[in-house]
Each structure stands twice: as structure tokens, then as C-alpha cells.
Amino acid sequence: MAEIIQRDGTWAFYGDTLRLTPGRDKNVSLLRKTLGELTVPLAALAGISLEQGKKSGRLRLRLRDGSDPLLQATGGRLTDSHDPYQLTVESDRYGVAEYFVDEVRSALLLDQVPTNAVEDYLLPGPAVPLSVSAGDGTANFDGEQVRLEWNWKTEDAKAAAGSRTLALADIRSVEWHPAVGLENGFLRFTVNNAPTKAPPKYDPNSVELWGFKKDPLMALVAAAVQARLPHPSAPPEDEPPRQLTASSPEPEIPAAREDDHDALLRRLRELGELHSSGVLTDEEFTMAKQAVLKRM
């Protein structure tokens, strides 16, 4: 195990997972404290780096695109202080940080973890039920529906319709934007059959944010909903599987969901049948068989 303990938090690496625990220092952001401890599987990582400064540095984890619903919902708009995948490191601990980086990189190399995007979330997202009050309303999410309740600061035109209840099945997408400069932020839900271009101030499916302390917590609501929506990179459910032909540049053999020995043996038999029937060339068969044998 490799571990680095700082006032900003503690990171521990166990070979196949990383445990990220926020610190209790007053400078640790409210979002990170509320999100709490994270367990990140090695398979979700695309890389790790250490940036060194004169007084302090920063450890950064780079996750594979599409692996984390929080990063998906916030679209890279989290600042460094709110990003749970960054850790401030004091200069006298650079040696420990470098060792930590080397251990994680070695594991990524040995496990041959790819850096490409994924089609399923590898992290679960924030726990529910979740309730956050910020800006002109309160967002509640219990895992099945979102309820938006307005406060005295809500624009009359939006508040007149009363509280909103959005079923998860009716939500097409969710996004969070922080307030930047003179521009307000928002938490917005795009609902099926109800497109709107109204500003968040007037949109009954949005909470307007003004840049106050609790605004980033709305990102947790966005992430919890995002984790339960269809993954944006997943193929449509009604999309037919691609057929193999003798002229295919690469064999399109579906990857086994389970990595047990029997499933891999079945895959080898399937490849042999495709090769015998002439669907796969000798070269394609060899490449596909080697890929399966590596997983065994």
C-alpha cells in the first residue's frame, strides 16, 4: 500500500483501488467535505501527475472520459479547490508524492489499463437521498424523482407554478454551471418533450445560482442524477450489432461482460467457429485469440 497524508486530505493506493479522503482543514472546500471519501477503481484512471511549486504542489488524477458522473455532469467546470481528484502537497512531502505517483503508474502499466473513454460509469456518484438549498431554490433527489422547491428570492413568474416534481424517466439530461464573474450559474434539467431556451431565472426546471458558498453542492445533485441516466457514450439499445465480414479491418467480437474462465473459453470456441466458417481471416483470428488469452 502507498499512502500520502496532508492537511488537504489523505490518498491511499491498494493496488486495484485508490481511496481519497478529504481533510478537515478549514481550507478544504464544502463540496469535497460533503462528497466525503471516494473509492476510485484503477480501471477508471487514465493517469496521475505531480506538479511541484516552491511552497506546495498538487497531485492530480486524470480519469478516463465518461467514467465519473460528477465530471460528466460538471463538464470540467469544477475549480481546483472543488475538484476531489486533486490534492495539495506540501513541499517537504514531494518525495512521498513521487513514490505514490510511481506506484500508481506501475500498476496502470502492469494491468494494461487503457486510457480511452468508457461506455459505463465506473464510479457510483453521490449517495441519495440528497437535498441542497442554494440560489433561488432547493433541489431534492431520492433516486427516482427530482423535486424543485422555490424560496422568496425566486422570480415570480417561475414561482407561480409552485414546486416541480420531475420523474427520472422524464429527464433527458442535467448540467451544472458555476457563477462566473457577473454571469450567474445554474442547475438545469432538460425534460423530454419540454425544450426551453428560457434563462434559468425563468426556467421552472432550473435552479439559478449566484455564486454563494453552497452553489457547488448543486453539482452533487447533478452528479447523482447523471449516474442514473443512460450513459451518453453507450450505444442505443435498439442499435443492431455490427456484422463481421471477410473484409472487416478488425474483428468486431463483443467483449465478455464477465471475466470468468468459462466465459473466456466460450469466446475461444466462438472465434474458432468464425474462423472455420471463413468469417475471420487467419490474421484476424490470431489477433482476437491473443486478446482473449491475455485476459485468461
Side-chain angles (χ1 to χ4, degrees), residues 129-133 138-143 145-149 221:
L130 191 60
S131 179
V132 176
S133 296
T138 297
N140 303 281
F141 181 52
D142 61 5
Q145 62 183 20
V146 174
R147 182 173 177 80
L148 302 178
E149 300 174 345
V221 178

Side-chain angles (χ1 to χ4, degrees), residues 33-57:
K33 288 180 178 179
T34 304
L35 184 59
E37 184 176 283
L38 291 176
T39 299
V40 182
L42 185 67
L45 287 188
I48 183 173
S49 62
L50 171 63
E51 302 170 359
Q52 298 185 14
K54 291 184 178 180
K55 293 184 179 180
S56 64

Side-chain angles (χ1 to χ4, degrees), residues 4 6 8 11 32 48-53 55-61 79-91 94 97 101:
I4 179 168
Q6 294 289 273
D8 193 39
W11 285 12
R32 289 179 56 206
I48 183 173
S49 62
L50 171 63
E51 302 170 359
Q52 298 185 14
K55 293 184 179 180
S56 64
R58 190 174 293 273
L59 273 174
R60 294 180 187 266
L61 291 181
T79 62
D80 287 353
S81 61
H82 297 310
D83 189 341
Y85 304 112
Q86 298 188 32
L87 181 72
T88 301
V89 179
E90 301 300 325
S91 58
Y94 283 167
V101 169

Side-chain angles (χ1 to χ4, degrees), residues 263-274:
L264 296 175
L265 287 176
R266 287 196 299 271
R267 183 55 45 80
L268 284 175
R269 286 195 294 269
E270 292 170 1
L271 290 173
E273 293 171 359
L274 290 172

Side-chain angles (χ1 to χ4, degrees), residues 104-115:
V104 175
R105 286 178 175 171
S106 296
L108 289 171
L109 182 62
L110 289 173
D111 284 19
Q112 297 183 346
V113 177
T115 59

